[in-house]
Amino acid sequence: MFTLNCQGKLVTIKTPLVMGIVNATPDSFFAGSRAMDQSAVREVVGKMLNEGADIIDIGGQSTRPGSERISAEEEIARITPAIQTITENFPAAIISIDTFYADVAKKAVEAGASIVNNISGGDLDEAMLACVASLKVPYICMHMRGTPQSMTRENQYDNLPLEVVDYFISKIRKCRKAGIKDVIIDPGFGFAKNAEQNFLLLKNLSLLKILNVPVLVGLSRKSTICKTLNITAAEALNGTTVMHTLSLLNGANILRVHDVKEAKEAITLVSKYIDSGKS
């Protein structure tokens, strides 16, 4: 069991949690996650919370392969109204900010976010770890090489699962040294990894348990599913549920998803399966 201190709100991970994805950006890869005005934010977030979302993850720029990078200022302009809308309408909600900019993380937490979700593990902004430590919020540290613009060319590994474990051993040490109390790790499916590598990483996900921190998995509607099944992201819900089931069986503690209801059902069923026969 893990406990996260989210600005005074304690989140206990006894069974896996669901993080709902809300994108305040026009170019995220799945149109269903986009919420570009405050009415849409209220509608999308309200639905996710009603379906059982434990965390709402707000992002202000797309990090899909080849996406266009925007400035911290533009990202702040996108995410701040969205976070304020959530805090005003759903004050009990736990909000995560998905950013690699320290300045965005700071502004988001000031607006009401209480978790920082960083795809680069601090590599794209050297001020990030110190910033998160000063904010005293949980930190999601993801494995990635390069940038969203270059990462498809950065997927050469000798032993991917072990290299990811070694990466997190080093990153967790740096996080602790910076003063970050609660660290969550995300192996970064699709980030500097092709489809075959994603399946290999998923098969070896349980290796990350040795690090004794919560493991977040983000596979929802991603290209590994779409390319394998020759479908679009809009058609990838069933494939996503299969991947979520495999993730849960291999030790995932948090699922980052577009479809909250279906993820919660997967967690319920897998938890019953794992607990069956226990006295």
Side-chain angles (χ1 to χ4, degrees):
M1 184 178 74
F2 301 103
T3 301
L4 307 174
N5 186 347
C6 301
Q7 293 286 80
K9 299 175 183 177
L10 293 181
V11 177
T12 301
I13 309 178
K14 290 183 179 178
T15 57
L17 305 182
V18 170
M19 172 186 279
I21 301 167
V22 179
N23 289 311
T25 170
D27 57 344
S28 55
F29 77 89
F30 177 56
S33 68
R34 300 172 195 161
M36 293 304 297
D37 59 60
Q38 304 326 301
S39 175
V41 169
R42 285 193 299 272
E43 180 179 353
V44 171
V45 172
K47 180 175 184 289
M48 286 182 169
L49 293 173
N50 285 335
E51 291 177 347
D54 302 286
I55 303 166
I56 300 296
D57 192 47
I58 296 287
Q61 73 168 294
S62 174
T63 53
R64 74 186 193 283
S67 58
E68 181 179 353
R69 184 166 176 169
I70 66 171
S71 68
E73 291 74 21
E74 186 173 354
E75 195 173 317
I76 289 167
R78 289 178 176 180
I79 59 93
T80 302
I83 293 172
Q84 291 172 339
T85 295
I86 297 170
T87 58
E88 289 168 4
N89 290 273
F90 312 102
I94 303 294
I95 304 170
S96 168
I97 176 62
D98 180 5
T99 186
F100 50 77
Y101 289 125
D103 286 347
V104 177
K106 185 174 186 296
K107 292 294 185 182
V109 171
E110 289 173 352
S114 55
I115 299 174
V116 173
N117 182 9
N118 180 200
I119 63 165
S120 76
D123 290 341
L124 294 180
D125 187 339
E126 61 182 15
M128 180 62 88
L129 297 188
C131 176
V132 174
S134 71
L135 295 170
K136 296 181 171 58
V137 295
Y139 179 61
I140 301 170
C141 177
M142 197 186 81
H143 176 275
M144 182 181 72
R145 285 180 172 178
T147 69
Q149 293 72 39
S150 69
M151 62 186 177
T152 57
R153 303 187 297 273
E154 301 279 346
N155 63 350
Q156 292 78 38
Y157 304 91
D158 293 324
N159 187 320
L160 174 60
L162 291 182
E163 288 179 48
V164 170
V165 170
D166 286 343
Y167 170 90
F168 283 125
I169 290 172
S170 174
K171 286 293 183 182
I172 292 170
R173 186 181 298 120
K174 290 179 180 178
C175 288
R176 301 299 189 206
K177 186 176 180 180
I180 299 172
K181 304 294 185 185
D182 295 329
V183 180
I184 301 159
I185 58 175
D186 175 353
F189 290 99
F191 288 80
K193 302 166 191 75
N194 60 31
E196 182 179 350
Q197 291 167 333
N198 287 327
F199 279 110
L200 175 63
L201 189 57
L202 179 57
K203 194 171 186 178
N204 289 275
L205 188 68
S206 60
L207 288 175
L208 297 177
K209 289 182 180 180
I210 67 171
L211 301 172
N212 197 33
V213 294
V215 176
L216 181 149
V217 167
L219 276 164
S220 182
R221 297 183 182 267
K222 283 192 172 177
S223 64
T224 291
I225 300 166
C226 299
K227 290 177 180 178
T228 301
L229 300 178
N230 193 27
I231 58 176
T232 66
E235 300 169 312
L237 176 55
N238 184 60
T240 294
T241 300
V242 173
M243 299 295 267
H244 283 163
T245 301
L246 295 172
S247 301
L248 294 165
L249 290 171
N250 283 296
N253 303 110
I254 304 172
L255 299 178
R256 183 176 181 271
V257 311
H258 299 94
D259 309 280
V260 172
K261 177 177 178 288
E262 290 79 3
K264 294 291 285 190
E265 289 176 347
I267 289 169
T268 298
L269 291 170
V270 171
S271 296
K272 288 289 186 182
Y273 168 78
I274 291 173
D275 291 340
S276 63
K278 291 183 179 179
S279 56

